[in-house]
Amino acid sequence: MNRLLGARARLRWVHLVLGGALLMPYFLLTQVGVGIAAGGANALASLPLTLAAYAAALPLVAVTAVFGLVRPLSVAAVRAMCGVPGERLADGPARSWAARGRTSAWWTLHLGVGAVISGLSLAVPPMAVVLIALPFVPGLREPELGLGWFSTRADPYLAPLLGAGLLAGLALCAAGAGALLARLAPVLLGPTAADRLAAAEERAADLAVRNRLARELHDAVGHALSAVTLQAVAARRVLDSDPAFVREALAAIEDTTRRTVGELDAVLGLLRDGDPARPDAAPAPTLAADLDGLLARTRAGGTPVTAHQDPGPAGDWEGLPAIASREAYRIVQEGLSNALRHGAGPVELRIRVRGREETGHRELEITMTNPPAAPEDREPRTTGGRGLRGAAERAALLGGGVEAGPHEGRWRLRAVLPLTGGDR
């Protein structure tokens, strides 16, 4: 009984009635044409002409189903009313002619079967009520209503059984038609190979954006917090003995936090669809413009940093491709963050451009080494190594790579970024 009159069966019945309602504009158009073709006859007054108008409406239904909005509307209705899992249905308009053909078949089936069920839903219940009431209302037997066993002149003792059978048959037809459409929906409205590929590409693009934002937040905020913490600790230790160092550390903390708020504002602007960062938000830092400030803020925390820079034939870092300059800065920033959190002693940084300018085969090499801290002195790791993984992803985007690990008794981070074909 639940399959015939349960909540899901009733929703599917409503879905079929909706299909019948959607067929009405097509049917009204074709019944006029059929009536004209029949010499001006009223197609609604003749069962054969009515069936002809119904049959003529179905090709029109099939043709209109090739438009893009039909599949999204059909999928939304099936998800809401037919109990079909959403992942088995395609999202968005049909992209290929094969998908449009399947959508056309579904649209025609839904409206065609829905019209039949809608007609039965309108005609059967009144007749069934009359048949059930026939033994108890003698006045119903006088007028001639219907034909054969539908007639009000039927045996009054069998009429109620016939009426109940009509209602049961209607429920059975509606439930069967609803179950049939629910089974065919994934076949006709399910994703094609092109749909799955497009969805995979969309997910990959979304994941790439999320990873990029995660890297930016980790590198900017993580480095800033590490640097500010060490600068504050160093200032507290010499608060009474070296006021000049304290003032320098406080200035570095102020500069670090101000720059980080600007970078954070720029990244958060990207998180809002169609909401760019404020015009006064800090631009993305680059090796050319911001390396010296990064090194100065790191030194203000009490960690000596020795930097060896060789821009190659260009003479300065302004000649680097813009994207390489940005990613190189972040890689250096992450390396310094690791050195501050997990290292002990001075940091040696080497940045150089290798290759020959005239041939165009150049690459940027970043090498950073520092003594590792004793296990008991290391800051507990809270990021799960995402910083180094993010640095490797940055390098991989440019076709380069990152190596990190022990090397000759020290910790070494080495990154190589190809410079050929960059955007200047």
Side-chain angles (χ1 to χ4, degrees), residues 29 67 74 76 94 113 147 217 229 236 283 290 319 369 398-399 411:
L29 179 62
F67 293 100
S74 298
V113 175
L147 298 172
L217 286 173
T229 299
R236 178 175 56 81
D290 302 283
T369 60
L398 300 180
W411 178 268

Side-chain angles (χ1 to χ4, degrees), residues 110-354:
H110 178 206
L111 271 62
V113 175
V116 174
I117 297 299
S118 297
L120 292 176
S121 299
L122 290 173
V124 169
M127 192 63 212
V129 170
V130 169
L131 291 174
I132 293 173
L134 198 60
F136 313 103
V137 184
L140 291 176
R141 305 173 197 169
E142 298 304 324
E144 181 68 26
L145 301 177
L147 298 172
W149 58 278
F150 282 101
S151 174
T152 52
R153 297 188 182 277
D155 188 333
Y157 298 102
L158 295 178
L161 296 178
L162 293 176
L166 286 175
L167 292 177
L170 174 61
L172 183 62
C173 289
L180 175 64
L181 289 184
R183 177 167 295 186
L184 290 177
V187 178
L188 298 177
L189 296 177
T192 63
D195 293 326
R196 293 189 181 93
L197 179 60
E201 290 176 346
E202 184 177 350
R203 287 194 298 270
D206 179 66
L207 183 60
V209 171
R210 292 171 57 188
N211 285 341
R212 175 193 168 199
L213 295 176
R215 288 195 302 267
E216 294 294 333
L217 286 173
H218 176 275
D219 292 349
V221 179
H223 173 80
L225 292 177
S226 296
V228 165
T229 299
L230 291 176
Q231 290 160 354
V233 169
R236 178 175 56 81
R237 289 176 178 173
V238 297
L239 181 62
D240 298 324
S241 60
D242 194 348
F245 179 83
V246 174
R247 285 194 294 271
E248 181 181 352
L250 291 176
I253 290 173
E254 180 184 2
D255 181 58
T256 300
T257 53
R258 182 182 294 112
R259 290 180 58 85
T260 304
V261 168
E263 293 182 32
L264 181 61
D265 188 45
V267 174
L268 293 179
L270 296 175
L271 287 173
R272 306 183 187 98
D273 292 337
D275 183 14
R278 296 200 323 259
D280 59 342
T286 63
L287 198 67
D290 302 283
L291 177 61
D292 292 339
L294 176 63
L295 296 177
R297 291 189 296 274
T298 304
R299 292 174 180 133
T303 300
V305 180
T306 303
H308 306 277
Q309 303 182 41
D310 179 10
D316 56 41
W317 299 120
E318 295 292 341
L320 289 180
I323 187 172
S325 187
R326 291 193 298 268
E327 301 304 324
Y329 176 90
R330 291 301 192 191
I331 292 173
V332 172
Q333 186 182 54
E334 175 56 29
L336 292 174
S337 296
N338 275 343
L340 292 175
R341 290 195 297 262
H342 309 299
V347 178
E348 183 175 356
L349 171 65
R350 294 182 180 274
I351 308 176
R352 61 172 179 162
V353 174
R354 302 188 309 181

